[in-house]
């Protein structure tokens, strides 16, 4: 069997994932990339979205990532993100509330609304809901 690659996902608040993987697939800024053991080292910023990996038992695992970058080494993928949660940890009601709040802000005429900030919040909430409500 092929060697495993370590996957670690950390935010300023917590260690979200520390596991062994057969493969890690991450939402790179220039497109999704996969990393297997022995990969050439590189760094990449990540888009808001889903990182997935296959664990030692062959089970596919999903992690929401926002504001992150990844360091890929031959034996380890380290992700540092502003926020991250495993699929099972996503609070669906909270994400729905965040989505509605962001939508209202984007529709408002209020000049004080920070559009970029509202768009980023909308994006985070949409990806969280998409992942939490997906099968698997
Ligand atoms: P909210 O407005 O609900 O705080 P947000 O997108 O602004 O959403 P973030 O800044 O991305 O939140 O994350 C702040 C912290 O809250 C992080 O630790 C993140 O993991 C957690 N978090 C945010 N939304 C959810 C959610 N729907 N389910 C679980 N954890 C969440």
């Amino acid at each position: 069997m092929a060697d495993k690659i370590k996957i670690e996902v950390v935010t300023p608040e917590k260690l979200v994932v520390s596991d062994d993987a057969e493969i890690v697939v991450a939402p790179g800024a220039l497109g999704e990339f996969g990393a297997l053991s022995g990969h050439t080292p590189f760094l990449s910023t990540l888009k808001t979205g889903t990182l997935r990996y296959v664990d030692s038992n062959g089970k596919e695992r999903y992690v929401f990532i926002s504001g992150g970058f990844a360091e890929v080494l031959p034996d380890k993928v380290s992700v540092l993100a502003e926020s991250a949660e495993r699929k099972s940890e996503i609070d669906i009601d909270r994400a729905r509330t965040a989505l509605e709040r962001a939508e209202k802000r984007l529709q408002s005429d209020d000049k004080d609304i920070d559009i970029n900030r509202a768009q980023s919040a909308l994006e985070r909430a949409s990806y969280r809901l998409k992942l939490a409500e997906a099968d698997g």
Side-chain angles (χ1 to χ4, degrees):
M1 191 186 252
D3 280 349
K4 301 281 187 290
I5 189 162
K6 251 203 152 328
I7 168 72
E8 228 173 63
V9 179
V10 181
T11 72
E13 291 166 25
K14 59 196 174 200
L15 174 67
V16 180
V17 174
S18 177
D19 214 344
D20 291 321
E22 286 171 12
I23 183 170
V24 177
V25 179
L30 300 176
E32 204 170 63
F33 64 82
L36 295 162
S37 171
H39 203 293
T40 307
F42 74 101
L43 282 174
S44 173
T45 50
L46 300 178
K47 289 195 277 206
T48 294
T50 300
L51 173 146
R52 58 184 204 275
Y53 68 93
V54 177
D55 74 12
S56 318
N57 298 319
K59 188 166 168 38
E60 195 149 38
R61 304 277 179 182
Y62 302 90
V63 187
F64 167 83
I65 306 278
S66 175
F69 75 90
E71 178 193 45
V72 178
L73 296 173
D75 61 348
K76 186 173 181 185
V77 178
S78 301
V79 171
L80 188 59
E82 278 168 28
S83 53
E85 308 96 46
R86 284 184 180 273
K87 180 178 193 284
S88 58
E89 293 164 349
I90 296 174
D91 177 337
I92 293 185
D93 288 341
R94 177 172 171 176
R96 284 206 184 108
T97 305
L99 184 77
E100 282 167 22
R101 190 169 53 233
E103 280 171 346
K104 276 197 191 120
R105 286 187 170 140
L106 289 171
Q107 284 158 13
S108 148
D109 298 329
D110 187 341
K111 299 276 181 293
D112 291 334
I113 300 281
D114 181 338
I115 298 289
N116 288 338
R117 187 173 162 187
Q119 261 160 357
S120 298
L122 182 94
E123 194 183 25
R124 289 193 299 277
S126 307
Y127 275 108
R128 282 183 169 118
L129 286 174
K130 203 167 117 189
L131 176 56
E133 288 169 346
D135 293 338

mmCIF file of all heavy atoms in Angstrom, residues 6 25 90:
data_model
loop_
_atom_site.group_PDB
_atom_site.id
_atom_site.type_symbol
_atom_site.label_atom_id
_atom_site.label_comp_id
_atom_site.label_asym_id
_atom_site.label_seq_id
_atom_site.Cartn_x
_atom_site.Cartn_y
_atom_site.Cartn_z
ATOM 1 N N LYS A 6 0.565 13.103 5.949
ATOM 2 C CA LYS A 6 -0.110 13.689 7.114
ATOM 3 C C LYS A 6 -0.906 14.906 6.670
ATOM 4 O O LYS A 6 -0.442 15.669 5.820
ATOM 5 C CB LYS A 6 0.933 14.139 8.146
ATOM 6 C CG LYS A 6 0.930 13.248 9.353
ATOM 7 C CD LYS A 6 1.500 13.914 10.586
ATOM 8 C CE LYS A 6 0.915 13.360 11.860
ATOM 9 N NZ LYS A 6 -0.447 12.891 11.867
ATOM 10 N N VAL A 25 -7.045 16.553 -1.245
ATOM 11 C CA VAL A 25 -7.430 17.405 -2.382
ATOM 12 C C VAL A 25 -7.910 18.735 -1.808
ATOM 13 O O VAL A 25 -8.819 18.772 -0.972
ATOM 14 C CB VAL A 25 -8.533 16.742 -3.241
ATOM 15 C CG1 VAL A 25 -8.933 17.653 -4.397
ATOM 16 C CG2 VAL A 25 -8.066 15.389 -3.767
ATOM 17 N N ILE A 90 -20.353 21.596 11.169
ATOM 18 C CA ILE A 90 -21.009 22.794 10.634
ATOM 19 C C ILE A 90 -22.400 22.944 11.243
ATOM 20 O O ILE A 90 -23.203 22.007 11.230
ATOM 21 C CB ILE A 90 -21.089 22.736 9.089
ATOM 22 C CG1 ILE A 90 -19.682 22.760 8.503
ATOM 23 C CG2 ILE A 90 -21.943 23.880 8.540
ATOM 24 C CD1 ILE A 90 -19.621 22.561 6.995
#
